[in-house]
């Protein structure tokens, strides 16, 4: 049996995700703000979380202003605290009845000029930002996403996870670990669904790097070759509901050419 999509997602920006409830972790950054805007445009109820109170409020207000009547809220959640993350997931499901998505946009980068100059302190930082937050959000939202019958756990990753460079050892290894964890969640969904098909999907959206309008304004001569605009990423996120759950689950969805 093929799982249906949320209210027949059409991807036309006209209420295509009406009735769905989507949580966004890391909602205050440029990618998070773009995701809030696009998901609100599609009619979803959007619940953003971030540790930066001021930037989160700006992102939430922008989405509300752009789409009058949209249900967009923000919460300060410590995603490095498993109990707090579980409470966020439970609170969201209780308030809205279901949770159809968790979009993981918590980011961070550390690198070095050469492999030999790698600072292992970077690993500690990236472990928390890129791995621990994935572990906590996946463990917290697995149940709600499965119960929705139409869930998506979406991780944004980097091509460097599959093709690491010498100066990006810590970053690439962190991304690779986060991808493996996400695929394990997908296997859990697969096993839970059996012959009926997975009740939810865990998938990875792979980019080379992200670019936004402010970056272009700051560096007008830069070409940002191969970069994915945060607005295009947001569209790809929303578009995962346009495909059957079993076709999305356990997949790496490349938004940039494979290395």
């Amino acid at each position: 049996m093929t799982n249906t999509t949320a209210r027949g997602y059409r991807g036309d920006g006209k209420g295509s995700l009406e009735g769905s409830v989507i949580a966004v972790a890391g909602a205050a950054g440029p990618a998070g703000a773009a995701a809030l805007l696009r998901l609100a445009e599609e009619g979803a109820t959007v619940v953003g979380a971030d540790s930066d109170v001021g930037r989160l409020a700006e992102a939430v207000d922008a989405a509300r202003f752009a789409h009058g009547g949209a249900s967009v809220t923000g919460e300060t959640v410590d995603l490095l605290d498993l109990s707090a993350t579980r409470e966020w997931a439970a609170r969201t499901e209780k308030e809205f009845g279901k949770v159809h998505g968790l979009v993981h946009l918590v980011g961070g980068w550390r690198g070095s000029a050469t492999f030999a100059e790698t600072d292992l302190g970077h690993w500690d930082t990236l472990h928390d930002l890129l791995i621990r937050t994935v572990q906590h959000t996946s463990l917290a939202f697995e149940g709600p996403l499965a119960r929705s019958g139409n869930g998506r756990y979406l991780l944004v990753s980097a091509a460097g996870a599959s093709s690491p460079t010498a100066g990006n050892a810590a970053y690439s290894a962190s991304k690779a670990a986060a991808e493996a964890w996400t695929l394990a969640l997908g296997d859990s969904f697969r096993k839970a669904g059996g012959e009926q098909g997975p009740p939810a999907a865990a998938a990875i959206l792979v980019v080379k790097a992200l670019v936004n309008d402010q970056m272009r304004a700051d560096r007008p001569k830069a070409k940002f070759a191969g970069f994915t605009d945060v607005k295009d990423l947001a569209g790809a996120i929303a578009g995962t509901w346009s495909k059957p759950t079993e076709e999305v689950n356990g997949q790496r969805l490349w938004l940039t050419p494979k290395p």
Side-chain angles (χ1 to χ4, degrees), residues 15-214:
S16 305
L17 286 173
E18 192 74 35
S20 63
V21 179
I22 302 173
V24 178
L36 295 186
L37 279 167
R38 182 55 183 266
L39 294 170
E41 179 184 34
E42 298 288 358
T45 293
V46 192
V47 183
D50 204 284
S51 59
D52 191 320
V53 179
R55 292 176 65 196
L56 177 61
E58 291 178 4
V60 169
D61 288 346
R64 287 175 175 169
F65 179 79
H67 308 294
S71 176
V72 185
T73 59
E75 292 191 44
T76 304
V77 180
D78 182 3
L79 298 178
L80 294 178
D81 183 328
L82 178 57
S83 295
T85 309
R86 288 189 186 278
E87 289 172 4
W88 177 43
R91 187 166 59 250
T92 302
E93 185 180 32
K94 181 178 180 180
E95 180 174 354
F96 298 105
K98 289 186 176 181
V99 181
H100 300 92
L102 185 288
V103 182
H104 185 279
L105 292 171
V106 181
W109 178 83
R110 299 290 188 279
S112 59
T114 67
F115 181 80
E117 294 175 90
T118 298
D119 181 350
L120 290 180
H122 292 170
W123 169 260
D124 296 333
T125 299
L126 294 171
H127 176 270
D128 282 349
L129 288 173
L130 305 182
I131 303 174
R132 189 65 76 191
T133 58
V134 170
Q135 292 173 327
H136 289 175
T137 52
S138 60
L139 290 169
F141 281 88
E142 178 191 19
L145 292 176
R147 285 190 288 273
S148 77
N150 181 45
R152 299 285 186 274
Y153 183 95
L154 302 174
L155 171 73
V156 177
S157 189
S162 302
S163 183
T165 56
N168 283 309
Y171 177 75
S172 297
S174 299
K175 283 293 191 182
E179 288 193 9
W181 189 275
T182 301
L183 294 176
L185 173 63
D187 190 54
S188 175
F189 288 144
R190 180 187 64 81
K191 290 177 177 177
E195 294 182 358
Q196 299 300 308
I204 302 158
L205 291 90
V206 185
V207 302
K208 175 182 178 181
L210 295 173
V211 64
N212 58 69
D213 290 343
Q214 186 61 55

